[in-house]
Amino acid sequence: MRFALLNDQRVEATPGAKGVCPGCNAEMLARCGTKKVWHWAHRGRRHCDHWWENETEWHRDWKNRFVTDWQEVPARDETGELHIADIKTPYGLVIEFQHSAIKPDEVEKRTTFYGQVIWIIDGTRRPTDLIQYERMLSENYPERFDGIDIYTVYCEETRLLKEWGSLGKIVGFDFGGDNLCLLTAAQGRSRYLFDFPKVEFAKLISEGKPLPVVQFAKPVRRGYRRRRRF
């Protein structure tokens, strides 16, 4: 975790520091080595939120795009189980940053619990994901809308789309660079996919403004290689 409580104040890990978990009030120790991002860890046991994954520089870089008060916000479900959102805005939107592998049933549970959620996925974890993504785009003709190339894609076309395309929520794939690859939450088998600047994404979320809405006529499937003319 990035924050622990010390004298009722949220503080970051520093060498030798101690604090308590803002979610479960257990004692926490600062881990400040040279190989991992500095963080807080529970003493002698696993994290109190079983959905939590070890934080990387990638997680920290994304969190830093938002104010600290929105980071690592705890809440309990109807059974009393604790969950800590990576980002939770004052108007209820949760953003989850996912680097490691995750089981589909856990994704569904977390999505159901948070409700209004956007998932950001580290697309660099598996080298083949970017290769599949670029190949998929090369086999599609985009529609040009407001200066942006928008692709109609299907959930079976790449491994990432198989894993995340049927979720019914906005998903962002981060392949590095300045842009997110945003996947819309359209109904049916098709989705719209387009690049969107990370800076603009964080700005809209921070200002409580909606992300772009893409609506075209229902696409017609013509085999794996689609050629659409306008």
Side-chain angles (χ1 to χ4, degrees), residues 5 9 37 43 66 111 190:
L5 294 178
Q9 299 294 319
V37 62
R43 176 190 284 275
F66 304 93
T111 300
S190 64

Side-chain angles (χ1 to χ4, degrees), residues 124-160:
T124 67
R125 182 175 67 87
R126 297 179 302 211
T128 54
D129 283 335
L130 178 57
I131 295 172
Q132 291 180 5
Y133 167 75
E134 291 177 337
R135 182 174 64 238
M136 176 184 65
L137 295 192
S138 72
E139 296 173 341
N140 283 266
Y141 282 131
E143 297 177 85
R144 194 74 173 172
F145 181 76
D146 199 21
I148 300 174
D149 286 337
I150 300 175
Y151 294 84
T152 300
V153 298
Y154 294 83
C155 297
E156 65 269 23
E157 293 191 61
T158 72
R159 182 164 49 183
L160 279 177

Side-chain angles (χ1 to χ4, degrees), residues 14-15 83 96 103 128 150 158 162 164-165 187 199 211:
T14 55
H83 303 299
E96 286 287 278
K103 295 180 179 179
T128 54
I150 300 175
T158 72
K162 288 177 182 177
W164 296 96
Q187 298 297 316
V199 171
L211 296 175

Side-chain angles (χ1 to χ4, degrees), residues 66-126:
F66 304 93
V67 297
T68 57
D69 285 349
W70 295 7
Q71 300 178 26
E72 299 180 3
V73 178
R76 294 189 180 273
D77 63 21
E78 58 186 12
T79 68
E81 189 172 275
L82 176 70
H83 303 299
I84 301 175
D86 287 330
I87 297 293
K88 186 172 184 180
T89 69
Y91 46 92
L93 174 66
V94 167
I95 305 178
E96 286 287 278
F97 305 114
Q98 189 65 33
H99 165 77
S100 61
I102 184 172
K103 295 180 179 179
D105 60 339
E106 183 172 318
V107 172
E108 279 201 29
K109 288 178 181 177
R110 289 164 68 171
T111 300
T112 300
F113 175 68
Y114 290 126
Q116 190 182 358
V117 59
I118 296 172
W119 287 85
I120 305 297
I121 312 304
D122 186 355
T124 67
R125 182 175 67 87
R126 297 179 302 211

Side-chain angles (χ1 to χ4, degrees), residues 183-200:
L183 185 71
T184 66
Q187 298 297 316
R189 293 172 57 234
S190 64
R191 298 289 184 272
Y192 297 128
L193 192 71
F194 57 97
D195 281 346
F196 195 70
K198 294 176 181 176
V199 171
E200 184 66 13

Side-chain angles (χ1 to χ4, degrees), residues 2 59-67 70-71 87 97 174 177-178 197-203 206:
R2 179 175 185 176
H59 289 92
R60 189 63 58 85
D61 289 343
W62 266 108
K63 287 182 179 180
N64 284 338
R65 295 177 183 270
F66 304 93
V67 297
W70 295 7
Q71 300 178 26
I87 297 293
F97 305 114
D174 182 4
D178 296 329
K198 294 176 181 176
V199 171
E200 184 66 13
F201 173 86
K203 181 175 183 289
S206 297

